[in-house]
Amino acid sequence: MSRFFSSRHASLTAYTPGEQPQDRRYVKLNTNESPFPPSPAVVAAAAAEAARLQLYSDPESRAVTEAVAARYGVSPDMVLMVNGSDEILNFAFLAFGDAEHGFVCPDISYGFYPVFAALNHVPLREIPLRDDFSVDPEDYCGVGANIVLANPNAPTGRALPLADIERIVQTNPGHVVVIDEAYVDFGGESCAALVKRYDNLLVTQTFSKSRSLAGGRLGFGIGCPALIRDLNTIKYSTNPYNVNRMSAACGAAAIADDAYYRKNARTIMENRAYTAQALRQRGFEVLPSAANFLFARPAFCGGGELYRGLKARGVLIRHWDKPRIEAWCRITVGTKEQMDALLAAIDDMIREANA
Ligand SMILES: *Cc1c(COP(=O)(O)O)cnc(C)c1O
């Protein structure tokens, strides 16, 4: 810390992203990226737009905003495009949170929520998940605070049905409910259509997971026009050109190529079922998942041991040294070949443990 760093941030602990090591080629199953490249139309759109990078991007990102609005059946003034959905989550804490208007979220969820809360000096109360790592919707009904809930949740992969989400939104009319749908395309139920009936619902989604654009940094929020206007006030007070030309062009092309991404999501869901069964055969406890990852607990070793043993064998997964989940690991679901490499490395560890 320099002597210039504001004391406001002295106690801030920044988010730790999953490692992106450059030292060797890993089977990379640690940050829930898609194993599939963007569609050829998206690659072509990026290349064409690169030739126009001398010009600022459209601050309203009109083309991709209209494409997203049409895809989700809302009007363009109910959509805000952002530089990865992390950006709109931060905007939401900044726009709707203050000392009197805190947030609640599950104790085991996306690690960025507490960081956004701390950065913006917004109180955040964590509500424990049940012992089976499911969200009890009753905990959130009429809770009297703003809510941020990932559905499906991360790193557990468990999802709530739409009816539960609607009840949470309905019973908190005086507070904003942010539903983070980063993983919804892998078997969850989107609540995006509810924004037309509830003015306190903000749905966030990303192009990073199901749409193979993690490196493009593109996400969006869907909410009633007044909520979107508030978030735009924050956006225009920080960075009007938050979405660059290439990413906006990629996003519009990706929406147009929906069939390609739906097919990839189906493949990942098949590989998820295959891997969950194979892990259970090897003694793992595996949570039901509606996401492109599995949350699993090995029986033959600890969570940290599994992470380190697999890394030594060239397979990266994610582990948190955190109460309640230190015995567990989160494994991104990739191609069948990647899953077989994972299973071979696990078999090697099991052999070594039994030797
Ligand atoms: C990956 C992820 C995001 C955001 O990702 P971006 O790349 O910033 O769009 C948001 N929420 C959860 C739960 C995630 O896992």
Side-chain angles (χ1 to χ4, degrees), residues 84-86 89 110 154 180 182-183 206 208-209 217:
S85 59
D86 288 338
L89 293 166
Y110 188 33
D180 177 350
Y183 298 104
T206 177
S208 296
K209 276 73 186 230
R217 311 307 304 125

Side-chain angles (χ1 to χ4, degrees), residues 233-253:
T233 300
I234 302 294
K235 168 188 136 153
Y236 282 92
S237 305
T238 49
N239 183 6
Y241 305 111
N242 61 336
V243 175
N244 73 75
R245 297 186 77 93
M246 284 170 69
S247 297
C250 287

